[in-house]
Amino acid sequence: MAVAGGEAEEPGGSFRRYLARLGALRPQPGAERPDDDGRRRTELHLLFDQLISESCGPAPAVGPSPQDVCAVLVQACQLVHLDQEHLVSKVCQLIHHLLNRFQVMVDEQNLNFLLSYCISALKQCSSWTHVEILQALAALVYNNGPKCQKYLPDLLGEAGLLLQFSDSAQPDVELRRAAVRAMANLCLGVPGQPYLDELYRNICFQTFLSVLQSSKSSDVDDITFCMLLQNALKGIQSLLNGGKMKLMQTDQIGSLLAVLKKCMFHGLPGLSIEMPAALYPAPLPQYDKRSPVKQEQPEPATFKQTGNRRKKSKGKQKKGEFGEEGREHLGDAGDGSVLGADMLKLGLGDVQSSPCADPRPRAPDVARVCAGKEHFSSQGPAWKRISSSESEYSDAEGGIQSKTRSYQANVRQGALACFLSAIKSMEKRVLYGYWSAFVPDAPGIGSPQSVSLMTIALKDPSPKTRACALQVLSAILEGSKQFLSVAEDANDHKRAFTPFSVTIASSIRELHRCLLLALVAESSSQTLTQIVKCLANLVSNAPYGRLKPGLLTRVWNQIKPYISHKDVNVRVSSLTLLGAIVSVQAPLPEVQLLLQQPSSSGLNSSGSATPHRLNSEHWRKALPSEGEAPDHPAGCTPSEPCWLLRLCVSIIVLPREDSCSDSDANFPAFSSVYEPCPLRLESLQVLALLVKGYFSMAQSYFLELGEVACRCMEEMDPSIQLHGAKLLEELGTGVLQQYKPESAVAPDQRVPVSVVVTFWTVMLNGPLPGILQNCPHATLQTSACDALSSILPEAFSSLQNDQQILCVTLLLGLNHSENPLVKAAAARALGVYILFSCLRQDVMFVADTANAILSSLHDKSPNVRAKAAWSLGNLTDTLIINMETMGQSFQEEFSDLLLLKMLRSATEASKDRDKVKSNAVRALGNVLHFLQPCHIANPRFREAIEESLQALISTVGSEATMKVRWNACYALGNVFKNPALPLGEAPWTTQAYSALSSVVKSCKNFKVRIKSAMALSIPSKRECYGSTQQFGQIWSALVVALQKSEDTEDFLEFKYSASLRTQICQALLHLLKLAKGTDLPVVWQTVTEKGDTIKSYLLQYLKSGVEENETGTPTDSCDRERALKGALEHLSGVEKELGGKARVRVSGFLGDVLTNHTNATELTEA
C-alpha cells in the first residue's frame, strides 16, 4: 500500500492498522449507547472509502500478505449487517477491488465465510446492490472453483442465483453481465483439482450459449453488450480448456459454431451477418455428391469479393497475446517433433517465445479496404497512443467510438480464441464437416463471396484479430491431409453436378489466392508471420499431385521477398514455408522446375527477392575433377546453383553484412558474426529437406554440402551441430537410395563411388569422430551415430583401413553408452555395418558385433532392445549368407558358445514386447537354419533348441501383431530348410505343422497366410512331413485355405487374395510331387468332394501372368506348367506301382486340369 509521509513502513503495516481500526469498531457488550450505531456506520463508510481509494492508487513495491487482506475483508463483513445496504454495497466493492488489485487467493476457511455472506446478501438485499455483490462473488470464486462445491446448488442449482440473474429475461444488462462473469470465473479449471460436475458444466454451457445467441436491444449500449459477450466467450473457453469438455453431439457443436461465427464478425466495419441458430455438417469425402449449400446462406450478400482491392498500409504492430497454436517452425520444419524436442534440450527455444515486435508505435493503422464501395474510417492521427486494453488502431473521432471499436475487436478475438479451443475439443473428422462454413470457396459466377476466416484476415482493422483468425485457420489446416486428399481438379469435369473432390480443390485454390492476397497487403510483422505459417500448413497438407500445377509456383515466387524481411520471425517462417514446399509429396515436377530456375528468376522489379550479398559471394570452392557430379540439371550449373540451395548455404555459412534489425535485438545470444541462430537452423532444415526430396538436384553439390555439414559440426552451438549431423545423414541416405537394387536411377546418373569415398574421408577426418567420442549432448551424439550408419557399403570398403577400424571402434564403444538414445543408435548402426560384404566375412568382427548386440538386447530401455533385436536379425542373416558363400570354413571358425548364447538370447527376446519380438523370431529362424549336425547332437544345445522351437510355434499361433506372426511363419520356413534337424520325426514337427495349418486357414491377415503357405511348401522330402495322417491334415488345410482365399471382413486384405491362391496352389502341387501311395486316399477324398473348386483355382493359377512369389523370384506360366507336369509324372509313377483302379483317378484329375489349360491356351492363341 502507499505509505503516507516519507517514513519507512514494513509491508502490510497500513493493512494491520486498518485491521486494528476495524477491531475497535466492534460493538462492546453492555457498553452500547444509542448514538453509537450511527457513529459506527459513519466510521465504516470513511474506512471503506480510504481502503478503496488506496487500492486504486499507485501499486506498492511490496503488497500486503494474503492473510492480512483476507482478515480485513472478513472483519469488514462481520461489521456490516445485511440490512445496511449502502455498507453492503461498499464492502462488496472492497472485496472486488482488493482481491483483483493484489491477486489474492482466498483460503478455504475465509472463502466459506465470504461466499456465505455474498450469497445471503444476494438473497436479502435490494436489487440495486446486486451488481456490486456479484462482482465481489466473481472475484472470490476466481481460480477457486474446486473449493466452492457446496455453494453450487445455491448458485447454479434449479433456482440458482446466477441462473436467475443471467437469464435472457433479465432486464438489467449490467446485472446479467456481472452474473455471467461470476459464472465464467467458476468455470476456470485449477490444475490438479477436480472440475465442475457434468450437470453444472452443461448448465453453464447452455447459459453462455444463450447469452451469445441473444441480440442487442436498442436500450443497451455497445460496450456493455460487448463485455457481456466477452464474459460468455471466456466461460465457454474455460469449459473447453479447464474442463477438457469434449464436443460430441451434433446439435451442441452446430449451435456453438454458429454463435462463434456470429461473434467472429461482431462489429466488423462494413459487414452485418445474420446467423441461423445452428450450423449443420456436410457429408464428407466418401460421398461423391455436390457439397450442400452453406448453412449461412441467410446472410445478406454485403461482402464483396476481395480479389481486386487496393492495398493500403496497415499500421501499428503490437505484441501478440494470442497463444501460438500453429506450426512451431524451429522444431517441425525438418524431422518433426523429435527435432523440436532436441532444440529444447539444447537450450534453444522457439523464436516466437521471445518478444520480437517493435514496441514503439509505428505509422497509424489504416482500416482494411476491399473491392467495390466498401470502405472504412480514414487514417487516424499518428499521435494517438496505444493502450494494452484498448484498440490497436487509431480512430480520428476518438472517444466513445474508439472505445467501442476496441471492445468489439476484443469480442472477435475472444470468439476466435474460443474457436481454437473448440477445434482441440472435437475430432478432426467432425470438424471438417463444417469446413465450408469457415474456409473460403471460390464464388460462383454472379454470386458474392461467403464470409469466412479469410474475411477477417483480409478485412479486420486490428492486426491482432487478423493474427487470431490466421491461427484458427492454421489449426483447421493442421492434420487435414486425409480430408484434403480427395481434392482433384487436374482434369476438367464435364458433369451436370460438381463432385465433392472438385469442391475441395476449389476451396484449396481459393485459400491460396486469399492467403497470398493477405501476404502482400499485410504490414504487421506478427500477423505476417501467422500468414506465412498458415501457408506452410496449407502446403504441407494439400494434395498437389491431384491439382492443376501452378499453385506452388505462385507461393514460391511471392514468398521470395520475405526472406530478406527486416523481422527475423518473418524470415524464419518464410524458410519454413519453403521447406514445406520441397517436402510435400516430393518429388513434384512443379517443384523440380522451380528448383531448376536460376537464382535471378522469380524476382520482383526491385530485385529484392534474395539478399544482395548472394550476388557477389561465391560459396562454392574449386574442387578436384573427381569431385564433379556426372550431370547438372538444366538451369543449375556448378557456377550458379539453384536459388534455394544457394540461399540456405549463404545464411548458414556466410557472415552477416547488414546491421542488426529491430527483431534481432531481442536475441542477444544470437548477436554474432553470423545470421540469427533460428534463421540458420531453419536454413539447415530446409537444406536437409531439399536433399531428401530432390537428391538428384542436390547431388551436383554433394561435396560442397558435405563441407557445409562439416562446418556446422565444428561450431560451438550444439543445435547447429545437431542440424549439421542431420544434413550429413540425409546426404548419406540419398546416396544409399541411389544404389539400392530397386533404384530407378541409372548407374551413370548416380554419385560416383569415388566421390562418395572422398566425401566420407573428409567427414572422418573432420569433426564427426570427435562428436561421437566426447560430445556431452546425447541427442547430437545419436544424430552423429545415425549419420555414420548412412555410409554407402561400396564406399566403406574403399576407405583406408584405419578409417574403417575407426568407424567400427567408435560404434562398438558407443554400444556401451549409458544414454539409451546413443546406445540404441549404436546398436542399429552395428546392424547396418554387419551387412557390409567387407565386414561380414571377418569372423572376429562378427563375433565382436554379436557380443555387443546381445549386451544391448538385455538393456532396460525398450527402444534399445528393439534396435538390438533388429540388428540381431541382420547379424543372423549374415550367418546364412556366409554359410552359403563361404561354406564350412566360416561355420567351423564361428564360436559354438556364442552361437548358443545367441539362441538363448533370441528365445528370451521372443517373449518381449512386439517391437522386439518381431525381429527376435526372425533371428531364431536364421540361427536354427545355421545349426550344424555337431550342434544338434551337442547336449548343451538340445534344451536351447527345443525352447527356441516352442517359442516360434507359440508365436505363430499367438495374438501378437501381424508383423510378429509374419516373421514367425518366415522363421519356421527357415527352420524347415535345415536338413540336420529331425523334421518329421521330432514331436515339435507336429506342433509346427498344426500351427501353420491353422494360420493358413483362418488368420485375418492374408500376408501372414501367404507366408504360412510358403513355409508349408519348403520341406524337400516326403519324410519331413511325417506320418500319412499328418500329411493328410496339411493337404486338407491347404484345400480349405484355397476355398477361403476370398473370404475376408477387411476389404484391404482382398488385394492379396490372388497372391494367396498362387502360393497355396504351389504348396498343393509341391505336396503332390512328394506324395506316397499311402497319402493318396486322403488326397482323392478331397478331390472327390471339392474337385471342381480345386480345378478352377488350379486353372486360374496356370493361366495368370508373371508374378513374383514370396521368395522374390518371378514365376511364369511355363514354370507353373512344369510344376504341374512334375506332380502328374510323380503321381502316375506311384499309381502305376500300386496298380489300384481307385488311385489312378488322382493323376487323372491333374491330367484333366492340364488338358483344359492346354485347350484354353490354344484357343486364346488362335
Side-chain angles (χ1 to χ4, degrees):
M1 298 300 299
V3 180
E7 60 187 78
E9 185 173 20
E10 62 176 299
S14 64
F15 252 71
R16 292 193 195 102
R17 283 204 312 277
Y18 285 124
L19 198 55
R21 287 173 63 187
L22 284 168
L25 291 173
R26 281 181 175 278
Q28 300 298 321
E32 285 283 304
R33 287 188 297 178
D35 58 339
D36 280 354
D37 192 45
R39 192 165 52 251
R40 190 183 305 113
R41 281 193 196 186
T42 306
E43 280 287 321
L44 282 173
H45 273 293
L46 288 171
L47 195 54
F48 290 165
D49 286 341
Q50 281 181 307
L51 273 166
I52 290 170
S53 67
E54 283 201 27
S55 71
C56 296
V62 181
S65 68
Q67 294 83 358
D68 287 344
V69 173
C70 291
V72 165
L73 295 178
V74 169
Q75 188 90 279
C77 290
Q78 286 171 343
L79 288 170
V80 176
H81 298 295
L82 297 180
D83 57 351
Q84 300 169 338
E85 292 188 345
H86 280 91
L87 281 173
V88 169
S89 171
K90 204 162 277 187
V91 83
C92 285
Q93 287 178 44
L94 188 63
I95 293 171
H96 172 65
H97 279 290
L98 292 184
L99 294 184
N100 283 330
R101 175 64 185 276
F102 300 114
Q103 297 294 297
V104 171
M105 290 290 293
V106 183
D107 61 275
E108 194 159 0
Q109 184 181 350
N110 288 323
L111 181 69
N112 286 336
F113 174 79
L114 293 170
L115 271 180
S116 298
Y117 183 86
C118 289
I119 289 170
S120 300
L122 281 173
K123 290 177 179 176
Q124 296 180 36
C125 295
S126 304
S127 59
W128 70 267
T129 62
H130 287 173
V131 171
E132 283 80 10
I133 300 169
L134 285 170
Q135 286 176 341
L137 185 72
L140 286 167
V141 301
Y142 184 82
N143 270 342
N144 269 326
K147 300 176 190 170
C148 303
Q149 295 295 323
K150 63 181 178 182
Y151 300 102
L152 293 180
D154 279 333
L155 296 172
L156 299 174
E158 197 168 331
L161 294 165
L162 293 182
L163 288 186
Q164 291 176 34
F165 295 131
S166 62
D167 190 77
S168 55
Q170 174 59 244
D172 186 344
V173 180
E174 278 291 352
L175 188 58
R176 190 180 181 199
R177 184 182 71 78
V180 171
R181 184 182 178 190
M183 196 183 289
N185 284 0
L186 258 179
C187 293
L188 278 170
V190 180
Q193 296 288 324
Y195 198 66
L196 287 175
D197 291 340
E198 191 171 354
L199 169 69
Y200 295 124
R201 263 184 281 179
N202 290 333
I203 288 170
C204 292
F205 183 81
Q206 288 304 324
T207 303
F208 297 141
L209 206 57
S210 66
V211 168
L212 295 173
Q213 286 169 338
S214 62
S215 302
K216 185 178 87 69
S217 57
S218 56
D219 58 334
V220 177
D221 69 277
D222 287 329
I223 291 176
T224 304
F225 188 67
C226 284
M227 291 167 77
L228 174 65
L229 294 178
Q230 268 185 276
N231 289 330
L233 288 166
K234 282 177 184 171
I236 288 183
Q237 195 175 2
S238 295
L239 286 170
L240 294 172
N241 292 347
K244 301 286 186 276
M245 184 176 175
K246 289 294 173 192
L247 297 169
M248 307 291 285
Q249 300 165 8
T250 305
D251 56 342
Q252 187 185 52
I253 295 170
S255 300
L256 176 60
L257 294 183
V259 294
L260 289 181
K261 183 166 183 180
K262 177 184 171 186
C263 291
M264 272 183 230
F265 297 100
H266 182 77
L268 188 61
L271 195 67
S272 173
I273 65 170
E274 290 295 328
M275 287 298 299
L279 296 175
Y280 297 96
L284 282 185
Q286 57 268 40
Y287 304 103
D288 186 28
K289 58 177 79 169
R290 186 177 177 84
S291 186
V293 176
K294 294 178 178 57
Q295 301 302 321
E296 67 274 17
Q297 286 304 310
E299 301 164 11
T302 57
F303 179 57
K304 303 292 191 294
Q305 196 168 339
T306 58
N308 59 351
R309 67 179 182 77
R310 292 181 298 117
K311 303 173 188 67
K312 289 190 180 180
S313 63
K314 292 149 294 294
K316 296 176 188 172
Q317 173 188 344
K318 290 196 62 174
K319 295 181 183 178
E321 296 163 22
F322 196 57
E324 293 290 345
E325 296 296 336
R327 169 173 165 165
E328 298 294 339
H329 53 264
L330 273 185
D332 294 352
D335 290 343
S337 58
V338 177
L339 275 183
D342 293 344
M343 291 298 92
L344 293 174
K345 289 174 192 168
L346 296 168
L348 183 73
D350 191 335
V351 184
Q352 296 300 331
S353 64
S354 301
C356 313
D358 185 355
R360 296 168 298 172
R362 297 186 180 172
D365 188 18
V366 182
R368 319 286 286 186
V369 296
C370 73
K373 297 178 182 177
E374 289 189 290
H375 61 279
F376 304 110
S377 59
S378 58
Q379 295 187 6
W383 46 262
K384 181 79 174 173
R385 68 185 180 88
I386 299 176
S387 162
S388 61
S389 62
E390 302 267 331
S391 174
E392 295 176 13
Y393 55 88
S394 301
D395 188 295
E397 295 170 28
I400 193 69
Q401 192 175 358
S402 173
K403 194 173 180 182
T404 301
R405 289 189 177 183
S406 168
Y407 276 95
Q408 287 171 340
N410 287 340
V411 170
R412 297 197 294 276
Q413 290 159 24
L416 290 162
C418 199
F419 191 11
L420 203 54
S421 299
I423 289 170
K424 294 176 185 176
S425 303
M426 66 175 91
E427 294 181 39
K428 280 293 173 81
R429 63 182 181 83
V430 175
L431 171 68
Y432 294 139
Y434 301 92
W435 174 271
S436 61
F438 297 98
V439 180
D441 189 10
I445 298 169
S447 62
Q449 177 115 36
S450 60
V451 289
S452 67
L453 286 163
M454 280 312 305
T455 311
I456 303 169
L458 286 164
K459 294 188 64 176
D460 202 292
S462 158
K464 185 176 171 185
T465 313
R466 298 196 296 273
C468 290
L470 290 158
Q471 270 190 292
V472 172
L473 186 55
S474 263
I476 292 172
L477 289 170
E478 204 167 358
S480 62
K481 187 171 288 184
Q482 187 179 352
F483 171 69
L484 296 180
S485 65
V486 300
E488 184 171 20
D489 71 350
N491 301 313
D492 291 329
H493 69 284
K494 309 278 187 188
R495 306 185 208 177
F497 63 94
T498 305
F500 187 74
S501 58
V502 175
T503 303
I504 295 298
S506 166
S507 186
I508 292 172
R509 288 190 167 280
E510 185 63 10
L511 266 176
H512 279 80
R513 189 186 74 81
C514 291
L515 284 168
L516 291 177
L517 196 63
L519 187 70
V520 244
E522 189 57 66
S523 66
S524 160
S525 293
Q526 280 197 300
T527 311
L528 204 51
T529 303
Q530 286 303 328
I531 294 170
V532 181
K533 281 186 175 183
C534 200
L535 269 169
N537 259 338
L538 174 59
V539 167
S540 298
N541 291 286
Y544 293 100
R546 296 165 59 93
L547 302 172
K548 289 176 184 172
L551 289 175
L552 287 173
T553 304
R554 286 193 281 277
V555 175
W556 177 276
N557 289 332
Q558 213 156 315
I559 200 62
K560 278 186 173 185
Y562 295 92
I563 297 298
S564 52
H565 195 274
K566 61 188 173 185
D567 188 283
V568 72
N569 297 295
V570 176
R571 296 174 72 192
V572 170
S573 56
S574 300
L575 280 168
T576 304
L577 174 54
L578 289 168
I581 291 173
V582 296
S583 62
V584 64
Q585 299 157 36
L588 279 175
E590 183 180 355
V591 178
Q592 188 88 35
L593 287 172
L594 289 170
L595 290 170
Q596 288 173 5
Q597 290 176 358
S599 300
S600 55
S601 67
L603 299 180
N604 57 21
S605 56
S606 66
S608 62
T610 57
H612 292 297
R613 62 180 174 281
L614 296 190
N615 298 325
S616 56
E617 293 281 354
H618 290 281
W619 52 269
R620 290 180 54 85
K621 296 187 176 181
L623 293 169
S625 57
E626 65 178 8
E628 291 299 332
D631 69 317
H632 304 291
C636 210
T637 62
S639 61
E640 188 179 17
C642 84
W643 173 79
L644 183 58
L645 191 143
R646 184 176 181 177
L647 169 74
C648 290
V649 172
S650 72
I651 290 172
I652 295 162
V653 303
L654 293 184
R656 65 197 300 174
E657 287 187 353
D658 53 338
S659 59
C660 183
S661 71
D662 291 337
S663 58
D664 293 346
N666 292 295
F667 302 100
F670 307 143
S671 299
S672 69
V673 68
Y674 292 114
E675 292 284 4
C677 186
L679 201 60
R680 298 179 72 210
L681 289 174
E682 198 64 42
S683 296
L684 275 165
Q685 292 193 63
V686 173
L687 213 48
L689 290 169
L690 181 61
V691 169
K692 183 178 182 179
Y694 298 87
F695 185 75
S696 59
M697 173 77 57
Q699 75 180 68
S700 302
Y701 316 100
F702 185 65
L703 291 180
E704 296 91 327
L705 290 173
E707 186 188 337
V708 171
C710 238
R711 285 180 62 171
C712 289
M713 288 189 289
E714 285 170 349
E715 291 198 23
M716 298 301 292
D717 187 337
S719 58
I720 298 287
Q721 289 178 301
L722 173 68
H723 284 78
K726 293 282 181 187
L727 175 59
L728 174 58
E729 184 187 353
E730 290 298 350
L731 287 164
T733 306
V735 175
L736 282 175
Q737 297 292 335
Q738 283 193 337
Y739 279 84
K740 277 189 173 179
E742 66 272 18
S743 171
V745 181
D748 63 332
Q749 298 294 309
R750 297 171 183 171
V751 179
V753 173
S754 60
V755 174
V756 184
V757 172
T758 305
F759 176 88
W760 282 106
T761 302
V762 171
M763 293 303 125
L764 293 169
N765 289 331
L768 186 61
I771 288 174
L772 288 165
Q773 286 171 307
N774 310 314
C775 180
H777 300 283
T779 314
L780 174 55
Q781 217 168 9
T782 302
S783 196
C785 208
D786 291 338
L788 193 61
S789 69
S790 68
I791 188 169
L792 183 71
E794 292 90 331
F796 183 87
S797 60
S798 300
L799 287 174
Q800 293 178 6
N801 196 43
D802 60 334
Q803 290 182 320
Q804 291 184 8
I805 292 169
L806 173 65
C807 292
V808 170
T809 308
L810 285 169
L811 292 177
L812 288 169
L814 288 170
N815 195 69
H816 298 290
S817 170
E818 293 180 4
N819 186 284
L821 285 174
V822 178
K823 194 170 185 177
R828 180 192 166 277
L830 286 171
V832 172
Y833 275 46
I834 198 66
L835 297 174
F836 291 1
S837 57
C838 62
L839 292 176
R840 69 169 180 242
Q841 296 174 1
D842 182 340
V843 178
M844 291 306 296
F845 172 72
V846 174
D848 288 343
T849 302
N851 281 312
I853 289 170
L854 292 176
S855 163
S856 294
L857 200 58
H858 296 100
D859 196 86
K860 63 182 179 182
S861 162
N863 187 39
V864 172
R865 297 199 303 274
K867 300 292 185 189
W870 179 81
S871 293
L872 183 62
N874 285 5
L875 173 68
T876 55
D877 283 344
T878 65
L879 295 184
I880 303 302
I881 295 167
N882 286 342
M883 180 179 75
E884 292 168 353
T885 56
M886 299 172 68
Q888 200 73 23
S889 62
F890 181 84
Q891 290 167 302
E892 288 172 357
E893 282 186 62
F894 198 78
S895 163
D896 289 358
L897 198 61
L898 183 55
L899 198 61
L900 180 60
K901 191 178 174 185
M902 287 167 67
L903 193 60
R904 285 176 174 159
S905 294
T907 304
E908 191 62 33
S910 71
K911 299 167 189 170
D912 205 330
R913 57 183 65 194
D914 283 353
K915 282 189 176 180
V916 180
K917 189 185 292 186
S918 62
N919 284 299
V921 293
R922 175 165 74 102
L924 275 180
N926 284 330
V927 174
L928 289 167
H929 182 191
F930 182 81
L931 293 176
Q932 302 306 298
C934 62
H935 300 131
I936 293 163
N938 190 330
R940 287 193 302 175
F941 273 83
R942 197 169 296 139
E943 186 184 349
I945 290 171
E946 184 63 33
E947 282 182 12
S948 60
L949 284 164
Q950 290 302 325
L952 275 182
I953 292 163
S954 63
T955 306
V956 168
S958 70
E959 292 300 315
T961 60
M962 295 309 166
K963 183 180 179 181
V964 172
R965 297 179 72 185
W966 187 95
N967 273 327
C969 292
Y970 174 82
L972 271 181
N974 264 342
V975 172
F976 293 165
K977 291 176 183 176
N978 190 342
L981 288 169
L983 191 60
E985 301 168 13
W988 57 264
T989 306
T990 306
Q991 296 170 291
Y993 285 135
S994 175
L996 289 169
S997 299
S998 172
V999 167
V1000 82
K1001 287 188 294 185
S1002 58
C1003 183
K1004 290 179 180 177
N1005 186 284
F1006 275 22
K1007 292 178 88 173
V1008 176
R1009 287 200 212 180
I1010 291 167
K1011 193 53 74 175
S1012 61
M1014 188 209 77
L1016 288 170
S1017 65
I1018 282 175
S1020 56
K1021 297 178 181 176
R1022 169 62 189 84
E1023 301 79 56
C1024 296
Y1025 286 101
S1027 65
T1028 299
Q1029 182 186 2
Q1030 189 165 283
F1031 183 92
Q1033 287 170 349
I1034 296 168
W1035 168 268
S1036 300
L1038 286 167
V1039 171
V1040 171
L1042 192 60
Q1043 286 181 293
K1044 291 183 172 181
S1045 61
E1046 294 183 10
D1047 299 347
T1048 176
E1049 295 174 6
D1050 187 352
F1051 182 74
L1052 294 174
E1053 293 298 321
F1054 194 75
K1055 63 183 175 182
Y1056 300 112
S1057 60
S1059 298
L1060 175 60
R1061 285 193 294 276
T1062 298
Q1063 196 63 56
I1064 293 172
C1065 288
Q1066 285 176 0
L1068 287 172
L1069 292 177
H1070 177 75
L1071 288 175
L1072 289 176
K1073 194 174 181 179
L1074 300 177
K1076 297 189 300 186
T1078 52
D1079 300 324
L1080 295 184
V1082 176
V1083 174
W1084 176 244
Q1085 185 182 347
T1086 54
V1087 166
T1088 306
E1089 294 171 1
K1090 302 165 184 174
D1092 291 342
T1093 306
I1094 298 170
K1095 182 185 282 187
S1096 68
Y1097 283 128
L1098 282 173
L1099 286 169
Q1100 278 183 33
Y1101 164 71
L1102 289 170
K1103 72 179 181 182
S1104 55
V1106 177
E1107 279 187 23
E1108 276 196 4
N1109 62 19
E1110 279 295 304
T1111 60
T1113 54
T1115 60
D1116 59 20
S1117 56
C1118 294
D1119 293 330
R1120 299 174 188 195
E1121 274 186 49
R1122 274 194 292 273
L1124 180 63
K1125 286 175 182 174
L1128 182 57
E1129 287 172 17
H1130 172 76
L1131 285 174
S1132 299
V1134 171
E1135 289 169 350
K1136 191 174 182 182
E1137 286 176 19
L1138 293 170
K1141 289 183 180 178
R1143 294 186 177 88
V1144 176
R1145 296 175 188 171
V1146 179
S1147 59
F1149 171 76
L1150 280 188
D1152 287 346
V1153 172
L1154 186 59
T1155 305
N1156 286 356
H1157 171 66
T1158 307
N1159 293 338
T1161 306
E1162 287 173 356
L1163 280 170
T1164 306
E1165 289 172 354

